[in-house]
Amino acid sequence: MRELKFKENLRFFRLRAKLYQSDIAKIVNVDARTVSAWERGKCQPSLEVITQLCDIFDETADSLLFDEYK
């Protein structure tokens, strides 16, 4: 089974897009603290939100969830 890299990848893609946690929160209609919790690995978003994040970053779910970026 592949290791989830979601928390690291969310932060990577967010910073690459020059977006704040609050920007992502507004787009997917959650509180900025929720985005922070995702990036800290405290919880994970729903499949619907993952789909929205893929659209925001123009990435596949596979790359958002599993690929490793530096």
Side-chain angles (χ1 to χ4, degrees):
M1 188 164 164
R2 293 166 51 189
E3 182 180 353
L4 271 178
K5 298 288 185 181
F6 174 74
K7 67 181 185 175
E8 297 92 344
N9 291 346
L10 175 59
R11 184 172 191 278
F12 173 83
F13 290 131
R14 180 179 61 77
L15 293 175
R16 185 180 72 179
K18 297 183 170 106
L19 295 171
Y20 294 103
Q21 289 177 344
S22 59
D23 298 326
I24 298 296
K26 286 177 189 171
I27 295 168
V28 299
N29 199 30
V30 298
D31 191 273
R33 291 175 292 191
T34 302
V35 177
S36 174
W38 295 339
E39 289 188 4
R40 289 181 288 122
K42 299 295 182 189
C43 61
Q44 295 177 1
S46 68
L47 185 55
E48 180 182 336
V49 172
I50 289 173
T51 301
Q52 289 176 299
L53 293 169
C54 290
D55 289 342
I56 292 166
F57 301 127
D58 194 27
E59 293 290 337
T60 65
D62 201 52
S63 66
L64 181 62
L65 296 173
F66 299 110
D67 290 347
E68 190 167 333
Y69 299 92
K70 302 274 181 193

